[in-house]
Amino acid sequence: MTYFKQVNEAAEFLRGQLSGLAPRIGIVLGSGLGAVAEAVESPEWVPYGAIPHFPQSTVEGHSGRIVAGLLGGVPVIVMQGRVHFYEGYTPAQVTFPMRVLGRLGLETVILTNASGGINSNYQVGQLVLLSDHINLLGFNPLIGPNEARFGDGKKTGLRFFDMTEAYSVELRALAQAAAREGGEALHEGVYLATSGPSFETPAEIRAFRNLGADLVGMSTVPETIVARHMGLRVLGISCVTNLAAGISATHLSHEEVFLAGSRVQHQLASLFTRLLPAIAANQAEAQAEAEAEQAR
Ligand code: HPA
């Protein structure tokens, strides 16, 4: 069976589980951030294991299920846990869930992750919006034949496409406004992805800083690339769970990353309850504009 067909089967299965809910916004929750899904009202759960062809996470702190319901009154589909390249999954497997979300008809995805802070202005426990990324994973998930059916064949699903604005400027502005309403200001920074699973050496972190990275992590970038291939808008939100190697005197551990993530998830959930209605209103506006354009 082709990959495209597998994705469609998974999407069809999920559609059947969502009892009429037609979310246009998806959220992927990173390490230690899973409890954000508890803010979803009228939730319906689908374990990854029940979805045809869906990869299952092997990492502690990634529980591996879909939660669909309402967040801030807006229909949403939340992926509680993701799979990573370092678990031994292929790039196609790592991005399979994002392909499925695309085929479900989503318009916007919010990708969250845990990261190490390289920028010395960052503190542990802060949320940072991704302004851009640097892909040092050693692969691009789109290597191989281009599957144009993941797009509309005109502006999306293209072999070569623009990544100038991988992380939507408009969505970042909405996130900043939602954060301000809650009395916070968010930093914006460049996320550098490495394969892991070992954390970086201090020399690597110095090199990454010189390359222009503010944050370092092991996820998100493959999902952003395929989301943009499908024409989805992406918002990236990173939780700085630790200072990157060599920046603080302490050694890094997964427990530290996990605990810092757990502490910030309430802040993230409250940001989402303000942000999702704003994104939904923005989508409705864009749709009205597109319809008016067509009528002209
Ligand atoms: N490095 C890489 N990935 C991470 C880190 C880190 O310091 N913290 C959380 N994810």
Side-chain angles (χ1 to χ4, degrees), residues 178-245:
R180 270 197 305 275
E181 268 176 47
E184 316 158 38
L186 301 176
H187 283 291
E188 300 197 11
V190 174
Y191 176 87
L192 183 147
T194 66
S195 71
S198 53
F199 289 119
E200 301 69 38
T201 63
E204 285 167 338
I205 294 302
R206 286 193 298 274
F208 293 169
R209 174 185 279 147
N210 286 333
L211 290 176
D214 299 299
L215 303 158
V216 61
M218 305 173 192
S219 69
T220 306
V221 164
E223 293 153 66
T224 300
I225 294 171
V226 301
R228 297 302 297 146
H229 181 247
M230 295 185 287
L232 275 66
R233 292 196 297 175
V234 178
L235 177 69
I237 307 179
S238 197
C239 166
V240 180
T241 54
N242 56 276
L243 301 180

Side-chain angles (χ1 to χ4, degrees), residues 72-243:
V74 177
V76 70
I77 182 157
V78 180
M79 283 186 47
Q80 205 175 13
R82 57 153 68 87
V83 300
H84 305 80
F85 187 53
Y86 62 71
E87 293 175 72
Y89 289 105
T90 63
Q93 288 173 310
V94 168
T95 51
F96 187 89
M98 191 51 51
R99 289 303 198 184
V100 173
L101 294 186
R103 296 301 288 170
L104 273 179
L106 265 64
E107 191 265 344
T108 298
V109 284
I110 304 175
L111 305 177
T112 70
N113 61 47
S115 67
I118 298 177
N119 186 318
S120 49
N121 294 323
Y122 297 171
Q123 281 162 12
V124 169
Q126 261 180 350
L127 297 175
V128 177
L129 298 180
L130 272 56
S131 58
D132 206 342
H133 74 221
I134 298 173
N135 181 8
L136 287 190
L137 283 162
F139 69 87
N140 183 303
L142 299 178
I143 289 172
N146 183 47
E147 181 48 91
R149 288 176 292 180
F150 280 124
D152 66 6
K154 285 185 238 118
K155 287 192 173 155
T156 58
L158 304 179
R159 170 81 297 183
F160 303 107
F161 60 95
D162 187 69
M163 285 286 279
T164 310
E165 195 186 315
Y167 301 90
S168 161
V169 169
E170 197 173 25
L171 290 176
R172 270 186 270 155
L174 294 177
Q176 289 290 10
R180 270 197 305 275
E181 268 176 47
E184 316 158 38
L186 301 176
H187 283 291
E188 300 197 11
V190 174
Y191 176 87
L192 183 147
T194 66
S195 71
S198 53
F199 289 119
E200 301 69 38
T201 63
E204 285 167 338
I205 294 302
R206 286 193 298 274
F208 293 169
R209 174 185 279 147
N210 286 333
L211 290 176
D214 299 299
L215 303 158
V216 61
M218 305 173 192
S219 69
T220 306
V221 164
E223 293 153 66
T224 300
I225 294 171
V226 301
R228 297 302 297 146
H229 181 247
M230 295 185 287
L232 275 66
R233 292 196 297 175
V234 178
L235 177 69
I237 307 179
S238 197
C239 166
V240 180
T241 54
N242 56 276
L243 301 180

